[in-house]
Amino acid sequence: MNFRQKSSRYCAMVLFAAGLAGALLVMATVSAGFRPDFEIWLAAALVVSIILHARAGFALSRAQQEIELLQGLVSRFRPSPAKAPPSLKLEPVANVNKEDASALECVKDAIENDRIDLYLQPIVSLPQRKQRYFEAFSRLRRADGSVLNPVDYINAAERANRIGVIDNMILLRAVQALRQLGPECVQYRIFCNISPATIFDVDFFTRFTDYLDANEDLAQRLVFEFTYPAVEMMHERVKKNMRAVADRGFAFSVDHIRRFDLNWSALREQNFRYVKASGALLLSETCKGDIGHARIKAFKKALIENEIDLIVEKVEYETQMPEILSLGIDYGQGALFGPPRRADTYLRPAALKETPAFAVAS
């Protein structure tokens, strides 16, 4: 029994005794013909002191309640200890060709020696071209400092069913960048590419969701991106696991769309909040005259109705901009606005001065 419970019971007993004593005092006063003697005055003083004592006890009880409330508020806002990031494990892979084996060995060597860089490409608002979001990429370096070709090791990892390691690298570095940015940069979001094979893998998905739970305060600042061909062919287990991620407040983006008449309401139900359409796809549609413009208008209307933001990507030339701006698109991405570069190119260097260590199981 805590102090507040004890003091409350004690005060109740004291007040009961004071009430009983008061009743006896009234009876004594009546029997004395309302001419109280010294003993009656003394009894009255005793009753008053008992009542004041009980009130003091209630005040102490209320004080403890307020102290406990303040302690609860303090513990609520006290930063919880940072959870260690999951280790990256690149286990040996059998039955792969020599080229893939060589590429995976380079990945393992880069991870073991912490030669992993986070690259970011800005996503800007139009027409102001102000940086709003970033897409994250990982880049691995050889011992001589040269950068591995992402296509080579990503394709090798997909064929060997080890793409989760690559996705994990991007996620860890993106979380690191957001953590180091500080409250003045809360408007930035980072898009992380995730393979459905990663979400399908039971072991990785468990560690993945554990890490998301440990960083739930970043739910509004991390967006997981899938290609539309991957979304079309998603296994039911992947869809179920994606719902678990969406339930944690994380949003999705889809790119590599080939047409405009997709089931946008179904995507919105899965918490897809962004769609990326290439500049070439949109501009080719405008070349079809009124029919093309009507298609784009219907496309944009469907996105607005489903609260999905449109990002035009792969914008490379200034000559593309007049036509793109005429379509009223809000966001753009591409070499014209900034190619993928080391994160410290776009973010202040202090934000990325520390990087997590990764463990690799051989």
Side-chain angles (χ1 to χ4, degrees):
M1 188 183 301
N2 61 28
F3 173 75
R4 187 169 70 248
Q5 290 175 323
K6 288 182 179 179
S7 61
S8 296
R9 291 189 180 185
Y10 171 74
C11 293
M13 292 173 61
V14 170
L15 284 178
F16 175 76
L20 182 60
L24 294 175
L25 183 61
V26 171
M27 292 174 61
T29 303
V30 172
S31 64
F34 294 97
R35 293 189 301 274
D37 296 326
F38 173 76
E39 293 83 356
I40 294 178
W41 285 113
L42 185 62
L46 178 62
V47 169
V48 170
S49 65
I50 290 174
I51 292 174
L52 292 175
H53 181 68
R55 293 296 301 171
F58 275 123
L60 288 174
S61 176
R62 177 64 61 86
Q64 190 204 18
Q65 186 177 8
E66 292 179 354
I67 289 172
E68 290 177 354
L69 177 61
L70 288 173
Q71 288 175 338
L73 291 173
V74 170
S75 62
R76 180 179 177 182
F77 291 102
R78 182 184 296 124
S80 56
K83 184 173 181 178
S87 60
L88 298 180
K89 299 179 180 179
L90 190 61
E91 300 174 352
V93 181
N95 301 322
V96 295
N97 59 46
K98 290 183 179 180
E99 290 79 9
D100 285 356
S102 176
L104 294 175
E105 186 60 33
C106 289
V107 172
K108 179 180 175 181
D109 180 64
I111 296 173
E112 285 179 335
N113 294 282
D114 199 23
R115 295 194 301 270
I116 309 168
D117 297 320
L118 175 69
Y119 275 55
L120 298 176
Q121 183 173 30
I123 299 171
V124 303
S125 59
L126 298 176
Q128 302 89 351
R129 305 191 188 189
K130 184 176 181 179
Q131 292 177 0
R132 294 295 185 184
Y133 314 130
F134 294 96
E135 182 172 351
F137 306 91
S138 63
R139 293 292 184 267
L140 307 181
R141 286 176 281 111
R142 298 184 180 88
D144 62 5
S146 60
V147 178
L148 293 169
N149 187 346
V151 174
D152 292 340
Y153 65 78
I154 288 176
N155 290 341
E158 285 181 338
R159 286 189 289 266
N161 197 26
R162 295 295 184 271
I163 191 62
V165 176
I166 311 299
D167 290 343
N168 210 343
M169 287 190 299
I170 297 174
L171 174 62
L172 295 181
R173 295 296 187 183
V175 168
Q176 178 82 18
L178 290 173
R179 285 275 175 231
Q180 298 282 341
L181 276 177
E184 68 275 12
C185 299
V186 293
Q187 75 276 14
Y188 288 135
R189 293 181 181 176
I190 293 184
F191 287 58
C192 297
N193 288 278
I194 297 291
S195 167
T198 296
I199 304 296
F200 184 85
D201 185 271
V202 175
D203 179 59
F204 173 81
F205 185 73
T206 300
R207 290 182 284 119
F208 178 72
T209 51
D210 285 346
Y211 196 56
L212 293 185
D213 289 337
N215 295 278
E216 61 181 355
D217 58 311
L218 297 180
Q220 300 302 314
R221 302 178 65 188
L222 275 175
V223 179
F224 298 112
E225 188 162 287
F226 300 86
T227 65
Y228 187 73
V231 173
E232 280 187 309
M233 298 183 291
M234 273 185 179
H235 189 275
E236 284 303 316
R237 183 200 293 176
V238 175
K239 293 180 181 178
K240 179 182 176 181
N241 289 346
M242 285 181 63
R243 283 194 295 271
V245 174
D247 289 342
R248 287 167 166 82
F250 293 87
F252 304 124
S253 172
V254 59
D255 64 357
H256 292 190
I257 65 167
R258 302 190 185 103
R259 25 183 253 272
F260 304 127
D261 57 342
L262 303 178
N263 191 341
W264 301 112
S265 61
L267 287 171
R268 181 62 183 83
E269 288 176 2
Q270 298 176 61
N271 211 32
F272 278 87
R273 303 298 301 272
Y274 302 91
V275 57
K276 291 182 178 181
S278 70
L281 177 66
L282 291 167
L283 294 178
S284 66
E285 197 68 23
T286 61
C287 294
K288 299 176 183 178
D290 293 341
I291 294 177
H293 280 88
R295 244 185 233 135
I296 293 178
K297 184 177 179 180
F299 169 50
K300 287 185 57 186
K301 180 182 178 183
L303 294 182
I304 292 171
E305 290 173 350
N306 289 284
E307 299 179 325
I308 298 175
D309 287 331
L310 173 61
I311 301 171
V312 55
E313 62 175 345
K314 298 182 176 61
V315 182
E316 299 182 0
Y317 307 107
E318 191 66 46
T319 54
Q320 296 175 298
M321 288 308 298
E323 192 69 35
I324 288 174
L325 292 177
S326 71
L327 298 176
I329 298 172
D330 293 327
Y331 299 100
Q333 179 182 0
L336 179 64
F337 312 119
R341 289 178 177 152
R342 284 178 57 97
D344 54 12
T345 304
Y346 296 113
L347 305 177
R348 55 189 178 87
L352 301 167
K353 63 182 178 181
E354 296 180 358
T355 53
F358 297 101
V360 180
S362 57

